[in-house]
């Protein structure tokens, strides 16, 4: 509850050992584009933008195909 567990795998410090992709430079910049050592506060709450992965059937059938 008190720690961002996404960063347990995705931080610059851990990504090499977990095999998770490191977020791009966009995630390590302040609002003026200056580089930061850690993830920007504006990017800290990953689920604002990224959706958690689940294996779930769509509630309504559709013809969407990803990866194109
Ligand atoms: C247990 C380690 C672990 C945790 C915790 C974790 N990830 Fe990942 N993540 C990975 C690995 C390994 C990959 C690369 C392999 C893959 O895509 O399945 C990955 C891939 C990704 C990708 C790239 C997906 C793509 O299609 O290119 C994103 C974005 C991502 N994770 C976001 C998150 C977010 C947001 C969280 C927290 C809600 C999170 N991850 C938690 C290990 C983790
Ligand atoms: C404000 C929206 C936003 C937030 C918050 C955010 N991301 Fe992202 N993320 C993006 C966007 C947009 C991209 C793709 C373009 C880029 O890299 O900037 C991306 C790309 C990524 C990638 C690269 C995926 C790949 O295929 O290589 C990873 C990994 C990732 N984010 C992880 C995270 C994690 C972990 C957090 C939380 C610490 C986070 N993101 C927070 C918007 C966000």
């Amino acid at each position: 509850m008190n720690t961002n567990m996404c960063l347990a795998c995705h931080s610059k410090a851990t990504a090499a050992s977990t095999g998770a992709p490191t977020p791009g430079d966009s995630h390590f910049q302040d609002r003026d584009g200056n580089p930061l050592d850690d993830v920007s506060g504006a990017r800290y709450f990953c689920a604002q933008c990224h959706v958690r992965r689940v294996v779930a059937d769509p509630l309504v059938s559709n013809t969407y195909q990803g990866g194109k």
Side-chain angles (χ1 to χ4, degrees), residues 4 6-7 10 21-23 26-27 39 42-46 49-50:
N4 181 332
C6 310
L7 292 172
H10 284 277
T22 313
S26 58
H27 292 45
V39 166
R43 301 265 181 173
Y44 187 77
F45 298 102
C46 315
C49 303
H50 295 282

Side-chain angles (χ1 to χ4, degrees), residues 44-58:
Y44 187 77
F45 298 102
C46 315
Q48 265 180 277
C49 303
H50 295 282
V51 178
R52 287 189 171 86
R53 281 184 187 176
V54 292
V55 178
D57 293 327

Side-chain angles (χ1 to χ4, degrees), residues 6-63:
C6 310
L7 292 172
C9 294
H10 284 277
S11 75
K12 285 184 176 173
T14 58
S17 61
T18 63
T22 313
D25 292 344
S26 58
H27 292 45
F28 297 89
Q29 289 172 353
D30 69 16
R31 59 201 273 178
D32 298 318
N34 301 310
L36 300 169
D37 290 335
D38 294 317
V39 166
S40 159
R43 301 265 181 173
Y44 187 77
F45 298 102
C46 315
Q48 265 180 277
C49 303
H50 295 282
V51 178
R52 287 189 171 86
R53 281 184 187 176
V54 292
V55 178
D57 293 327
L59 295 173
V60 177
S61 64
N62 65 76
T63 57

